[in-house]
Amino acid sequence: MYRTHTCGELRIDHIGSMVKLAGWVQRSRDLGGMTFVDLRDRYGITQLAFNMEENADLCEQARKLGREFVIQVEGEVIERSSKNTQIPTGEVEIKITGLNVLNGSKTPPFTIEDDTDGGDELRMKYRYLDLRRNPLQAKMYLRHQLGIEARKYLDSQGFFEIETPFLIKSTPEGARDFVVPSRMNAGEFYALPQSPQTFKQLLMVSGYDRYFQIVRCFRDEDLRADRQPEFTQIDCEMSFVEQEDILQTFEGMTKHLFKMVKGIELPDFPRMSYDEAMMYYGSDKPDVRFGMRFVDVTEKAQNKGFKVFDSAEAVLGINAKGCAGYSRKDIDKLTDWVKRPQIGAKGMVWVKFNEDGTIKSAVDKFYSEEDLREWGTLADAEPGDLLLILSGDLNKTRKALGELRLEMGNRLGLRKRGEFAPLWVIDFPLLEWDEETARFYAMHHPFTSPKQEDFAKLDSDPGSVRANAYDLVMNGVELGGGSIRIHNRDLQKRMFEVLGFSDEEAQKQFGFLMNAFEYGAPPHGGIAFGFDRFAAVTGGDDSIRDYIAFPKNNAGRDMMIDSPATISDEQLEELHIRLAEKEKSE
Ligand code: ASP
């Protein structure tokens, strides 16, 4: 037996027991007569005491232990003379009678401590060492608990976990696919699933009326900070349901997870239409931990001689409460911030509602105090508040002001860690117009059902058709999204037409699904949660990376195994792949 206890287990009532422990050397201190070693495993740290007088040999051996050596020890649990109240095992130590070095270790490239001295790159390269650190272990544990509790909840609701294939077929909709060449079928390729969407719908046709899967998905997108080329979804589908059934079921799951894993009872989730979200927050995933809703001053601001506002499609503002004291410099900085290309505003107008009741603004020339007071009324401005106004094209202005709202939320400490504000965003548009390719794209995916009352507009005004689609948003992060699906062949065919597919293309890509719809497809719908993100948000973090054991870096590389990598000429040949000369020489 390597160990009788873990390094996090021993307490005052174990005093007198003979125990065996195994783990890694966190550090050792040589005090001459005594040598102390902190032994660590994933459960905690226990202090080992080696006494020179009692056993010089052992003590000598202990002195030679380096950081991260793997050892096994034997000894008696004794009371510590100087107790450490910071750790649960801090009242005891082990008087060592036997030491066995199981394996040595090179000095690790960074310290295995809560605050490490290792930079990102180094930690990614030695991920297995980074994973030894407490903060990462805590995140892995949180993720594990979420997975277990999600399975428990879904099982209790009658869901079946069913696996769907990874080697599937490339579909042109959505993100770019990762493809896998087929050795046995020259010139043909599998694609890795962006999600199990079509398979879960087929399972509904098969009669498995409640399906889920905690499943890896693959999307070959340009990476942004919070994206990974492979990520995990809690993917779900249900038959004989309406939107309301899905919202109830998965609000229930989210509440269950927060309760079991965080001990937090979430209130009932508010709902907001997509239109409202865009109008008041300039985003389809508003952070509703705080208000600061947009106010529309377009009408009041136009026709007073200020050209910038006169020529704008929209003039929108937010009330930054208590910020009237901002200096010229503060405001200049904020103006520079909104003018950055990522935000894209051309400029910013401010109105100060001073504590003394006076009003001051950047556009005093054009507007009377009365005018400005009217804007203030719209924005519920009180003495001490600062109105920040952006203008221009409606969509761009909303987006920029949405960013500014979040920034002000940060500055004013309104986006509190540990506070959770869930929100259902519903009634998404079915389609999204793309200027570049001059065609409609499905906003969610092409299997999403239009709202029945909007069916007729599919021909006359496709852009205004709303979908039975919904997102679950938490603290401004999209945790999941889904829709009620089309289950009728003709409507699905019609949808592909609207999306610009020819009959042949639709048949070639999705014939299997449309055929299945001819064999008794039940009404169905579902949702998928981004599991990595769910874990990160629950853990109070912005980045998903530390919730994935072996993530890729921002360039999509695995720094540890050094992938992607070239393959041998023989492999290429077997796969019927000929690289262009250019790639070969690189
Ligand atoms: N498959 C969808 C997605 O990955 C989710 C869903 O509609 O259930 O976004």
Side-chain angles (χ1 to χ4, degrees), residues 46 55 73 110 184 199 238 285 381 404 442 494 497 509 549 575:
T46 300
N55 196 330
V73 292
F110 47 86
M184 289 196 286
F199 287 95
M238 302 167 85
K285 43 177 193 292
L404 180 61
R494 179 78 195 90
E497 277 165 27
Q509 296 296 336
L575 295 169

Side-chain angles (χ1 to χ4, degrees), residues 194-198 200-201 217 219 231 233-237 444-445 447-448 470-471 478 480-485 525-529:
Q194 296 184 24
S195 85
Q197 186 60 36
T198 50
K200 67 174 171 176
Q201 292 191 239
C217 302
R219 294 182 191 173
F231 60 97
Q233 285 189 342
I234 308 177
D235 188 47
C236 311
E237 196 76 4
H444 187 50
H445 51 52
F447 317 109
T448 294
Y470 32 78
D471 275 358
E478 181 195 327
S483 60
I484 297 297
R485 325 297 184 189
I527 191 167
F529 291 86

